[in-house]
Amino acid sequence: MWSQRRVVDYGLAKKAVVRSLRAGRSARGDVCDAQPYLLRAARHFGEPTERLCPVCERENVTNVTYVYGDALGRQAGQAKVVSELVAMAHDYDEFRVYVVEVCQGCSWNHLTVSYVLGNGPPDLVGQA
C-alpha cells in the first residue's frame, strides 16, 4: 500500500509458538483461544488465504485486519477489509493496522503483521 511504513512482522514469534506447541511445552487450548468476537470478525470481515492452519492443518486461515488510532474516532478498533484501507490512508494522517490470522475451525489466532498507514509526513529515517 502506498503509505505503508513502520512494518513489524511477527513471523518469528508465530514460529516459536507453533514449535512450543509441537514440542509439548504449550497446550493447544493456550494457542487456540480466539474470542467469539474475533471468530465473528473472521467470518464477516476476514479475507481468506491459501495458508493452512499451523495447528489443525485442516483449514486455511483467514486474515482479520483491525485499525487503531486517535484520529479514527469511532472507527478505531474496528475490523476492516483491505479495500477500505486505501481510502482511509487518504483520509487520515496516521493510524496503525494489525493483521491477525484466524482459523475458524480450531480457533488458532496470531498477530501476523502491523504497520502504519496515512497521508501524514513520511518517516524521516536516519535524520535527527
Side-chain angles (χ1 to χ4, degrees):
M1 190 157 307
W2 66 272
S3 72
Q4 189 177 37
R5 56 197 181 272
R6 287 184 251 155
V7 178
V8 179
D9 184 329
Y10 297 92
L12 290 176
K14 173 184 165 181
K15 286 180 184 180
V17 169
V18 172
R19 204 170 328 155
S20 178
L21 177 67
R22 290 187 179 148
R25 292 186 304 271
S26 297
R28 187 173 174 157
D30 293 337
V31 298
C32 295
D33 60 351
Q35 298 295 315
Y37 176 77
L38 180 57
L39 293 170
R40 271 193 308 275
R43 197 169 33 257
H44 297 291
F45 299 101
E47 301 198 22
T49 73
E50 296 296 319
R51 292 187 321 276
L52 205 55
C53 173
V55 176
C56 72
E57 297 179 330
R58 288 190 309 262
E59 293 190 31
N60 290 340
V61 295
T62 302
N63 283 344
V64 182
T65 303
Y66 289 97
V67 294
Y68 291 90
D70 294 336
L72 297 178
R74 294 187 343 207
Q75 291 191 66
Q78 291 184 356
K80 299 289 182 184
V81 293
V82 172
S83 60
E84 292 177 282
L85 298 179
V86 175
M88 291 178 71
H90 287 283
D91 293 342
Y92 297 98
D93 283 344
E94 186 171 285
F95 59 96
R96 183 153 283 279
V97 178
Y98 295 90
V99 181
V100 179
E101 71 175 21
V102 180
C103 177
Q104 296 179 58
C106 72
S107 297
W108 157 262
N109 63 104
H110 200 278
L111 178 62
T112 59
V113 67
S114 68
Y115 53 90
V116 171
L117 288 179
N119 62 22
D123 291 344
L124 301 174
V125 178
Q127 294 186 11

